[in-house]
Amino acid sequence: MAAYKILLVDDDPGILRALGAYFEKLGHEVHKAESGEEGLAVHERVRPDVTVLDFAMPGMSGLEVLAILRSRRATVIMLTGKGQVETAVEAMRLGAENFLVKPVDLSHLGVAVEKAAEKSALRQENVALKRRLHPNVKRRLVRLGLLVLMIAVSASIGLLIGGSGKGERSRSPIPIPVDSVR
């Protein structure tokens, strides 16, 4: 299992201690915050792989914090003491990766954090690869795709106007310049 940076945001110090101890035991780097405002500040400073966020907190609600964190492209798992369907739907609509009800099974939360971190890492890798793709390579890939399409259309038309498709040479109605791929 890879080690991740995890931010725990909950107004209950006992929950922070229990979750923190569990994730530290698994080898993760754990950061804690006891309010939404503090969680946002710690997130800005630490840039965790996953944030585990309580739904109901005094001051800023978990949904308010979630909306801000998602605007920062953060990966967030919501926890709540209330198992209301509307709450879960709203959290998922705002971009939470998962929504779990307290008391949460620690092994279930551990798997949810790992899967969310892996998904986030893949998203970041995809963005980085897209940035590195040189514009000339993009143009060549588009041209190659168009060439393949033209060949497929030409072959289809050739079959329609008299070729059997069994090695006969028929004149293609669409001339395809070979040097257009370069």
Side-chain angles (χ1 to χ4, degrees):
M1 176 191 282
Y4 299 110
K5 284 192 285 186
I6 301 171
L7 171 59
L8 306 171
V9 183
D10 199 306
D11 60 320
D12 184 333
I15 290 175
L16 285 178
R17 265 192 311 279
L19 294 180
Y22 175 74
F23 285 112
E24 286 171 349
K25 183 178 177 184
L26 293 177
H28 300 296
E29 179 183 323
V30 176
H31 302 270
K32 302 173 192 171
E34 292 187 10
S35 69
E37 295 85 351
E38 183 185 357
L40 291 172
V42 172
H43 185 276
E44 186 67 30
R45 181 174 41 82
V46 173
R47 297 287 184 192
D49 299 302
V50 177
T51 299
V52 178
L53 177 63
D54 185 26
F55 175 77
M57 294 182 290
M60 266 183 123
S61 76
L63 288 180
E64 291 172 307
V65 175
L66 172 62
I68 294 168
L69 289 177
R70 287 300 296 148
S71 72
R72 297 178 183 174
R73 302 201 189 297
T75 301
V76 180
I77 295 175
M78 296 290 297
L79 294 182
T80 186
K82 307 172 197 171
Q84 299 173 343
V85 173
E86 308 85 41
T87 306
V89 168
E90 182 65 11
M92 300 302 271
R93 188 187 68 72
L94 288 173
E97 290 291 327
N98 209 329
F99 186 91
L100 302 171
V101 179
K102 295 178 195 173
V104 66
D105 177 87
L106 291 178
S107 62
H108 187 123
L109 179 59
V111 169
V113 164
E114 185 174 342
K115 295 301 174 199
E118 288 171 357
K119 185 177 175 183
S120 177
L122 286 173
R123 256 190 250 118
Q124 291 171 6
E125 183 178 354
N126 190 25
V127 168
L129 289 172
K130 282 181 180 179
R131 280 190 196 126
R132 289 180 36 206
L133 192 58
H134 192 274
N136 288 336
V137 174
K138 289 179 189 176
R139 279 194 293 277
R140 287 180 183 159
L141 288 173
V142 168
R143 284 184 189 154
L144 180 61
L146 291 174
L147 176 63
V148 169
L149 180 62
M150 288 171 55
I151 291 170
V153 168
S154 177
S156 298
I157 291 172
L159 288 173
L160 289 174
I161 61 172
S164 68
K166 296 184 180 178
E168 291 179 14
R169 297 206 62 174
S170 63
R171 293 186 122 276
S172 172
I174 302 172
I176 302 171
V178 177
D179 63 338
S180 68
V181 180
R182 291 186 204 126

